[in-house]
Amino acid sequence: MSTKNVFLKGTLILTATGFCTRFIGFFYRIFLSHSFGEEGMGLYQLIFPVYALCFSLTCAGIELSISRCTAKYRASGQNSRALDCLYMGLSFAFAFSCIVTFVIQKYAVSISSYFLGDTRCILLLKVIAYALPFAAVHSCIVGYYLGLKETKLPSVSQLLEQSARILSVFLLYWFLTKNNDSPSIVIAVIGLVFGEIFSSFFVFFHFQKNARILKTNKFSHHYFASLREVLTLAFPLTSNRVLLNILQSVEAVSIPFQLQLYGYSLKESLSLYGVLTGMALPCILFPSAITASVSTMLLPTITEINETHSGKTLAAVTRKITRACLLLGFACALFFLIFSHFIGMILFHSENAGKFIFILAWICPFLYTNSTYISILNGLGKTFSSFLFNSLGLFVRIYGVFFLIPRFGMKGYLWGMLISQILVFLLCRIKISRVIRAKQTGTL
């Protein structure tokens, strides 16, 4: 199968899966907002910066490292070395995630009190920590299959994880209400853990079954060399991801504090935060299932084009991707501008959700295009540039949190988001154009 066909097939599978999971997740969030209210959604969203930071620290970089090593060794026919990298990377990620789980369990009170600023998050943190070891298993095996450019297993596991999460929450909610108990938002966190457990067991047993059938469950016994290679590749990726997550965590946990400085109570600030992160943003991000799938397949494709084709081919591909993403972004922006009030009031029963969606609609063209631009930069080997541009965008948003929210309320933060996306778009566009021009003139 040609590179173009592999790219299109992988993108279609990932896009279909992304739309399906986001469609299910969209109505799941409606259920959560109706069942636990805006404040409950705020508490639920408040713990995710901590979880995202721990995930980035334990396995996000290792997943990408395993994917690269797998592609490298399978291309040269060294299947055993690819398996070495998978098992050693998986073992390290699993062990490290267990340690981080223990740390969160021990310091959940301090994290909730001093970092998140709400002691009601203690139980939520203790529960969500159990998802980390299973997430490590899931992500490492998915990274292996993506290295093979096989998207079927990652897509199916994503669907199963989402289905198991939602089904477990529905069952827990039904059981508690039937017994006249009052369900709390903690059951949503329990559902997340159940989803990770189910998906990790699914991918692990599926991998073991295929390995036996294909008789590839053999090792080259270069264990320490493989572990060193995985960790060497993972270290810069993890460092970048962790730094970005720290900035995102500072941004996220500071929003409720700054809203209180504007004049809202703790309950009102958590409610607004829940509306933004649990209702408005998921709506805006829903169409990005397409660009996220394109971005996933774009990185190895751009890498190949950069190595084997001329700057003219690279420019043509970049031009087509830009046009498609901008067209999608402007179409979605128009849709959200027209139907924002309907989505907020009818679906979420929240006037604030409609107002936030209306303002956020303007970022769609830049938001959707930026994800593909970052993948193009990474495919061109400009990983520092992509990290720098993302960081600058985050600093603009953090500026909005600390200086615009106390003065203008949540609208100030939304304006900061728009400015940051435009900034990242312009920086990426300028950098990509320079690289392509240098390649065409032979000065790269």
Side-chain angles (χ1 to χ4, degrees), residues 180-257:
N180 297 320
D181 290 327
S182 179
S184 69
I185 195 64
V186 71
I187 68 172
V189 185
I190 295 173
L192 186 147
V193 176
F194 276 142
E196 288 293 353
I197 292 173
F198 190 85
S199 60
S200 64
F201 275 100
F202 170 77
V203 296
F204 182 78
F205 286 117
H206 187 278
F207 166 75
Q208 292 285 33
K209 179 181 177 181
N210 283 356
R212 286 194 295 271
I213 293 174
L214 299 174
K215 297 180 180 181
T216 60
N217 198 13
K218 299 178 181 179
F219 309 103
S220 67
H221 304 295
H222 293 86
Y223 300 126
F224 292 107
S226 298
L227 179 61
R228 184 172 60 251
E229 182 176 9
V230 169
L231 294 182
T232 300
L233 287 172
F235 180 76
L237 295 170
T238 300
S239 300
N240 290 347
R241 187 73 70 89
V242 167
L243 182 55
L244 287 174
N245 269 284
I246 290 174
L247 294 175
Q248 290 170 340
S249 299
V250 170
E251 173 194 22
V253 301
S254 299
I255 292 175
F257 290 113

Side-chain angles (χ1 to χ4, degrees), residues 10 53 59 69 77 96 121 155 165 175 210 225 240-241 253 273 293 307 313-314 320 351 370-371 376 393 405 438 443:
L53 178 60
C59 52
C69 290
F96 192 26
C121 294
S155 298
R165 177 197 302 188
F175 177 79
N210 283 356
N240 290 347
R241 187 73 70 89
V253 301
Y273 180 72
S293 303
E307 294 294 330
T313 303
L314 186 62
K320 290 179 181 178
E351 184 179 356
N370 287 345
S371 63
I376 291 173
I405 288 181
T443 58

Side-chain angles (χ1 to χ4, degrees), residues 148-195:
L148 302 176
K149 292 186 179 181
E150 294 182 12
T151 55
K152 183 178 179 180
L153 180 69
S155 298
V156 173
S157 68
Q158 185 180 357
L159 282 172
L160 290 176
E161 187 273 332
Q162 181 85 312
S163 301
R165 177 197 302 188
I166 295 174
L167 180 61
S168 61
V169 172
F170 283 161
L171 290 176
L172 284 171
Y173 187 85
W174 173 80
F175 177 79
L176 290 173
T177 52
K178 185 179 180 182
N179 288 275
N180 297 320
D181 290 327
S182 179
S184 69
I185 195 64
V186 71
I187 68 172
V189 185
I190 295 173
L192 186 147
V193 176
F194 276 142

Side-chain angles (χ1 to χ4, degrees), residues 50 54 100-108 111 125-126 129 132:
V50 177
C54 293
V100 174
T101 297
F102 173 78
V103 172
I104 293 178
Q105 293 283 333
K106 185 175 181 179
Y107 296 101
I111 296 172
L125 282 177
K126 288 184 175 181
L132 287 172

Side-chain angles (χ1 to χ4, degrees), residues 11-154:
T11 300
L12 287 174
I13 292 174
L14 292 174
T15 300
T17 304
F19 269 127
C20 187
T21 55
R22 293 184 189 213
F23 184 78
I24 297 172
F26 182 75
F27 289 100
Y28 174 60
R29 287 182 179 274
I30 293 175
F31 164 77
L32 292 180
S33 65
H34 290 177
S35 301
F36 305 107
E38 294 178 351
E39 187 179 10
M41 288 294 291
L43 287 172
Y44 179 62
Q45 294 296 140
L46 197 59
I47 65 171
F48 276 96
V50 177
Y51 180 73
L53 178 60
C54 293
F55 178 81
S56 298
L57 183 65
T58 55
C59 52
I62 292 178
E63 176 187 349
L64 293 175
S65 179
I66 289 173
S67 182
R68 290 183 178 184
C69 290
T70 300
K72 170 185 172 182
Y73 287 120
R74 287 301 292 263
S76 61
Q78 301 181 67
N79 296 338
S80 58
R81 286 299 300 272
L83 285 170
D84 278 351
C85 291
L86 169 61
Y87 278 102
M88 295 307 294
L90 174 58
S91 300
F92 181 87
F94 181 79
F96 192 26
S97 62
C98 288
I99 295 173
V100 174
T101 297
F102 173 78
V103 172
I104 293 178
Q105 293 283 333
K106 185 175 181 179
Y107 296 101
V109 175
S110 299
I111 296 172
S112 298
S113 302
Y114 300 111
F115 183 61
L116 300 181
D118 198 315
T119 54
R120 289 176 293 177
C121 294
I122 294 173
L123 180 59
L124 304 183
L125 282 177
K126 288 184 175 181
V127 173
I128 202 172
Y130 289 112
L132 287 172
F134 301 100
V137 175
H138 184 197
S139 64
C140 288
I141 296 177
V142 164
Y144 174 78
Y145 276 89
L146 290 176
L148 302 176
K149 292 186 179 181
E150 294 182 12
T151 55
K152 183 178 179 180
L153 180 69

